[in-house]
Amino acid sequence: MTAGGTSVGTPNSRDEAKEPGTPLARHAAAGYSRGTTSSEAARLEPEMPRQPKAYVAIWQGFFGSLMIFAGSIGAGWIANGSPMFRHPLVIALRTDGWGVTTSTILLTAGAMLLVRSWLRLGQRLKEWGPGSLRSVVIAVAAWAAPMMFAVPIYSRDVYAYTGQGRLVLEGQDPYTTGISSLSNWFSLGADPAWAEAKTPYGPYFLWIAKWVVGITGAQPDLSVLLFRLVALVGVLLCVVYIPRLAELHGIIPGRALWIAVANPLFLISFVASAHNDALMVGLAVAGMYFAATGRHITGILLVTASIGIKPITVLLLPFVGLMWAGPAASWARKFLFWGATAAISFGVLALSGIPYNLGFGWVWAILDPTPGYTGYSPSGFLGQQVEVIANLLGLPGSALATGLRTLMKWAGIGLVVLLMFRGDYSRLVRRAALAFAAVVMLSPIIQPWYILWFIPLLALTGIRNDWQIKSLYVAITFFVAFGAQDQISVLSFVELNVKVSSLAFVVAVGFTIYLMVLDIHTRKLLIRSTPAELFRRLERWLRFPAQ
């Protein structure tokens, strides 16, 4: 049985939603899920065998998180101005070949061990009976705790936050000025790519960054810790409201939280890396919950707060407006409530731009996106193939590739508009999730943590135990493995026999192969056959390819 899906209701879904009083709650409870909902799990629980204990996977993941913490000291991003560089242990781990090598292995293996722990936790809680939600919450807390004190890994954007806070504190406009205008800016630890870049963040996050810098005096290590606490607020909002929204839609709360928050990409990106996206997602999920349960103004204000952290969640406003309009709304009423939703949200944001003279700079951050593409995004990859083939045919490959990427980006916007106008009222949160996914997946640039913008909304409206969950396994594993070898800090003068990125790549790929082929538990998640059976099938195919 699956743990939730789409399109067809379940007999007990109204009981699961606890007789919701709002239109969306009633519609969602009646028409959202297929497969095993939380009410069915409770009904079937006496017939189920006792669930295997989750503590084995939880302890294994905690050990993996400790490995990440230890590895980050020698391979994570430390700001140039940090006093950590004067500590003897840090000096040894970052300047000696053995220290850098050991740290790289610990960091990469720890991240992959966390992937295995997450997969095994899902297997051990596969019946998702009573107590499963508590087990997932414990896992999230245990796995996140060591990362709270790790050196930033997978990204050093958190150091740019400090620079942007300094800009606001010194009366400069981060929407027009890069951090290179700051004295001694390089000691902050930010990527040089931020030197001339305008901030893409909303006014509320710039307020937070200013307050952090005001408290820490821009001391990089203390600033990272405070930004982590800010991100932790977003994680906690997800822990609270994802299960509630899942239950509203007839989806098992524990499984939704396991998919959305316990996954290692979420914890590494939102705790270890301290991305402000954590607070953005947490506020967005909370806003969708309040809107879905009839408290529409509160929902609008929370989504507006999310926009004020990172403006991409403006995509959710049309769906909140539809919730407010109600299930039987005419087109005139829908447009009226869309207008009212926009007026409230943008009016609040306009007032929020007055302090520190920030204005509507965040709008230009949306309209002036980062140029280029990532090779693993669908449009980036397809564009590369088009460029190669076109060049071979004597055609302008670069122009055709750029055109394709632009077309796919606008196709994502078109899908958002289509989902605004078409679809069942009971599926509004699902439609919002799909709109978010369309914009992200069809964008030319996808950072690993971008997929975390829409995974929570998909999880709480149902991800089936078929190709959907398998696709998630692949995506999470890929981005965890990719980040481990892509973002490793090594001092330029350190001499190594093997590049650390190559070493991390070998460890990550080796661990992935182990999970897929050798591990008797996790290999069942993607491939049902044993290695011997796969070998026999391959041998037969080589002998008789026509068959």
Side-chain angles (χ1 to χ4, degrees), residues 72-154:
S72 73
I73 298 173
W77 294 101
I78 299 179
N80 296 331
S82 170
M84 288 181 65
F85 272 122
R86 296 193 292 271
H87 193 283
L89 177 61
V90 175
I91 293 173
L93 290 175
R94 301 187 79 89
T95 60
D96 290 342
W98 69 265
V100 175
T101 300
T102 301
S103 298
T104 300
I105 293 173
L106 282 172
L107 175 61
T108 310
M112 297 307 296
L113 182 59
L114 196 59
V115 171
R116 184 185 190 276
S117 304
W118 173 62
L119 297 174
R120 289 293 293 135
L121 181 65
Q123 288 180 314
R124 287 179 173 273
L125 297 176
K126 61 182 178 180
E127 305 298 350
W128 300 102
S132 59
L133 177 60
R134 179 176 178 273
S135 295
V136 176
V137 171
I138 292 172
V140 169
W143 299 349
M147 296 187 204
M148 281 295 297
F149 305 99
V151 173
I153 57 172
Y154 281 60

Side-chain angles (χ1 to χ4, degrees), residues 289-429:
Y289 172 76
F290 279 95
T293 51
R295 289 161 285 186
H296 302 107
I297 301 300
T298 301
I300 292 170
L301 293 177
L302 284 168
V303 172
T304 300
S306 176
I307 297 169
I309 301 299
K310 210 166 182 180
I312 187 65
T313 45
V314 71
L315 292 172
L316 300 179
L317 284 180
F319 302 96
V320 174
L322 290 172
M323 294 181 199
W324 194 7
S330 63
W331 281 112
R333 181 177 172 86
K334 289 178 182 178
F335 276 97
L336 175 65
F337 279 86
W338 274 334
T341 301
I344 293 171
S345 181
F346 296 154
V348 170
L349 288 168
L351 293 174
S352 303
I354 295 176
Y356 315 120
N357 298 313
L358 294 174
F360 270 96
W362 59 272
V363 174
W364 310 119
I366 295 178
L367 299 178
D368 185 23
T370 304
Y373 63 90
T374 50
Y376 51 77
S377 69
S379 75
F381 177 78
L382 290 175
Q384 287 177 325
Q385 311 316 307
V386 166
E387 183 171 1
V388 170
I389 295 172
N391 287 337
L392 290 174
L393 297 175
L395 300 173
S398 178
L400 289 173
T402 300
L404 174 64
R405 287 190 283 268
T406 301
L407 179 64
M408 292 181 70
K409 180 175 67 175
W410 283 105
I413 301 298
L415 287 172
V416 174
V417 175
L418 179 64
L419 288 162
M420 285 172 54
F421 284 89
R422 297 291 300 273
D424 295 337
Y425 182 84
S426 66
R427 295 170 58 82
L428 272 173
V429 179

